[in-house]
């Protein structure tokens, strides 16, 4: 007679938080002003203002936008302000920096909506192994939010999820071996 399998993870009272679930939906766009540089080193106001005027800024409607320059160049602050004036009516999110900085800001905004008292005395597992990239800063922030109220705080995956992934990987390897 087969022994009944008991899922001890489900009985443990662990609360799992998957930071990937907090990933803000929507397109992310990086506007790199390097192509607006004069001789690749400096921005000329007249040319930049012509660029600003010629753009269809409504194409950034509801997008998450990062603005910056990927080249070492002389970029006056007013250039970023002009981009801000043009993008603010349309962009859902606007940051100075690259796409990684944008992602950090989006996660910070999502984490700010968490009420730590909802996790008072909870045993929490912060899930690892996300399919989508989660900034390391998000893990630090969730730790800062929950450590003061949680009974315990862990990182990883409850065994059941890990076991499913290992089994899937083993099946994929067996299939690959049989094809050779």
């Amino acid at each position: 007679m087969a022994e009944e399998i008991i899922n001890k993870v489900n009985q443990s009272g662990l609360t799992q938080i998957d930071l990937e679930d907090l990933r803000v939906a929507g397109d992310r766009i990086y506007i790199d002003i390097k192509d607006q540089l004069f001789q690749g080193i400096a921005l000329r106001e007249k040319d930049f203002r012509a660029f600003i005027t010629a753009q269809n800024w409504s194409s950034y409607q509801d997008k998450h936008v990062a603005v910056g320059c990927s080249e070492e160049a002389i970029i006056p602050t007013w250039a970023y302000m002009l981009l801000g004036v043009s993008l603010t009516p349309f962009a859902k999110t606007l940051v100075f920096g690259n796409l990684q900085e944008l992602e950090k800001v989006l996660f910070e905004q999502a984490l700010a909506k968490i009420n730590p008292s909802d996790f008072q005395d909870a045993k929490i597992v912060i899930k690892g192994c996300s399919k989508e990239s989660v900034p390391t800063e998000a893990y630090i922030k969730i730790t800062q939010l929950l450590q003061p109220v949680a009974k315990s705080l862990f990182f990883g995956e409850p065994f059941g999820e890990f076991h499913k992934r290992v089994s899937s990987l083993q099946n994929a390897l067996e299939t690959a071996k049989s094809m050779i």
Side-chain angles (χ1 to χ4, degrees), residues 83-92 94:
L83 285 167
V85 166
S86 300
L87 287 162
T88 295
F90 305 105
K92 186 175 259 185
L94 178 61

Side-chain angles (χ1 to χ4, degrees), residues 28-62:
R28 283 125 169 93
I29 298 174
Y30 176 59
I31 298 176
D32 188 348
I33 62 173
K34 73 175 182 174
D35 296 331
Q36 307 311 312
L37 297 175
F38 176 71
Q39 297 180 345
I41 58 168
L43 200 63
R44 293 199 313 194
E45 184 173 357
K46 182 180 177 185
D47 296 339
F48 191 69
R49 286 186 180 274
F51 162 76
I52 293 288
T53 302
Q55 296 305 303
N56 175 13
W57 298 106
S58 66
S59 66
Y60 296 95
Q61 184 70 47
D62 296 326

Side-chain angles (χ1 to χ4, degrees), residues 22 38 72 122:
L22 298 177
F38 176 71
E72 288 291 322

Side-chain angles (χ1 to χ4, degrees), residues 50-112:
F51 162 76
I52 293 288
T53 302
Q55 296 305 303
N56 175 13
W57 298 106
S58 66
S59 66
Y60 296 95
Q61 184 70 47
D62 296 326
K63 306 272 195 281
H64 304 288
V65 181
V67 297
C69 184
S70 61
E71 295 291 326
E72 288 291 322
I74 301 166
I75 310 293
T77 305
W78 57 258
Y80 294 111
M81 291 177 70
L82 284 175
L83 285 167
V85 166
S86 300
L87 287 162
T88 295
F90 305 105
K92 186 175 259 185
T93 309
L94 178 61
V95 301
F96 170 76
N98 57 30
L99 290 173
Q100 290 79 19
E101 291 296 320
L102 174 62
E103 204 61 42
K104 289 177 197 176
V105 168
L106 293 173
F107 269 94
E108 282 177 17
Q109 291 171 351
L111 287 164

